[in-house]
Amino acid sequence: MINVAEIKNGLVIDHIHAGTGWKVFKWLGLDNVKFSCVLIINAVSHKTGTKDIIKIDNIINIDYSVLGFIDSNITVSVIQDSKVVRKIKMELPEKVENVIQCKNPRCITTTEHYVPQQFRLVDKEKKQYRCIYCDAMYTAGNVGVE
């Protein structure tokens, strides 16, 4: 078993779908920080078999809607004085802006770069989003985050 020092003041991003942790790690910019953080890949999970975990020894600002879009099963624990003071459960956001890029070559966002990339949730069960300009469909978790 791997032993990671306890977090005194920071965040623990838990229940990340196995194999998705690196995407979250990069999106948060943790590969370029000056404080301690760790990415644990394929940790044992009693619910799903395996999961990824990120431990951050610092409080950082996170756009929870993007985390929910990447993986709605994620839980963020806020740690202060080595104790969990708050748990935040992610959910699929109703709208995402400038998170994914529309791949439709005829979409206005492809030619007019000042137009924001906006997608609305159209099917919560299937985790499907639709571009508000051209109606192109995307499934959360199956697309790369910009």
Side-chain angles (χ1 to χ4, degrees):
M1 175 142 219
I2 298 173
N3 217 356
V4 177
E6 76 176 352
I7 303 294
K8 302 230 184 303
N9 293 298
L11 303 171
V12 176
I13 304 172
D14 199 0
H15 307 291
I16 304 168
H17 186 278
T20 310
W22 180 244
K23 184 190 306 187
V24 175
F25 197 85
K26 293 270 296 168
W27 174 75
L28 291 171
L30 296 173
D31 52 333
N32 294 314
V33 297
K34 302 286 187 222
F35 50 83
S36 297
C37 57
V38 64
L39 168 62
I40 303 168
I41 298 174
N42 293 323
V44 175
S45 169
H46 298 293
K47 285 184 179 179
T48 60
T50 59
K51 65 181 178 178
D52 293 352
I53 304 167
I54 298 173
K55 292 187 174 192
I56 306 167
D57 196 21
N58 197 356
I59 302 290
I60 61 172
N61 289 326
I62 295 176
D63 184 342
Y64 295 115
S65 65
V66 177
L67 274 187
F69 176 77
I70 294 171
D71 185 349
S72 59
N73 295 314
I74 290 175
T75 303
V76 177
S77 297
V78 179
I79 313 294
Q80 290 178 344
D81 298 321
S82 301
K83 293 184 176 110
V84 176
V85 295
R86 186 169 156 215
K87 277 196 175 222
I88 305 162
K89 176 80 173 101
M90 298 302 105
E91 53 187 50
L92 285 174
E94 290 296 319
K95 175 182 137 185
V96 291
E97 185 172 319
N98 296 326
V99 175
I100 55 174
Q101 187 173 5
C102 188
K103 301 297 183 203
N104 181 352
R106 294 178 300 202
C107 184
I108 189 170
T109 60
T110 304
T111 58
E112 305 297 333
H113 299 289
Y114 64 89
V115 178
Q117 302 277 337
Q118 294 182 6
F119 293 82
R120 294 234 183 259
L121 181 63
V122 292
D123 190 330
K124 199 170 196 167
E125 292 284 315
K126 294 179 182 176
K127 301 180 179 183
Q128 291 181 328
Y129 286 80
R130 185 182 310 268
C131 175
I132 67 165
Y133 304 106
C134 72
D135 292 332
M137 295 288 287
Y138 293 86
T139 303
N142 291 339
V143 293
V145 175
E146 302 300 317

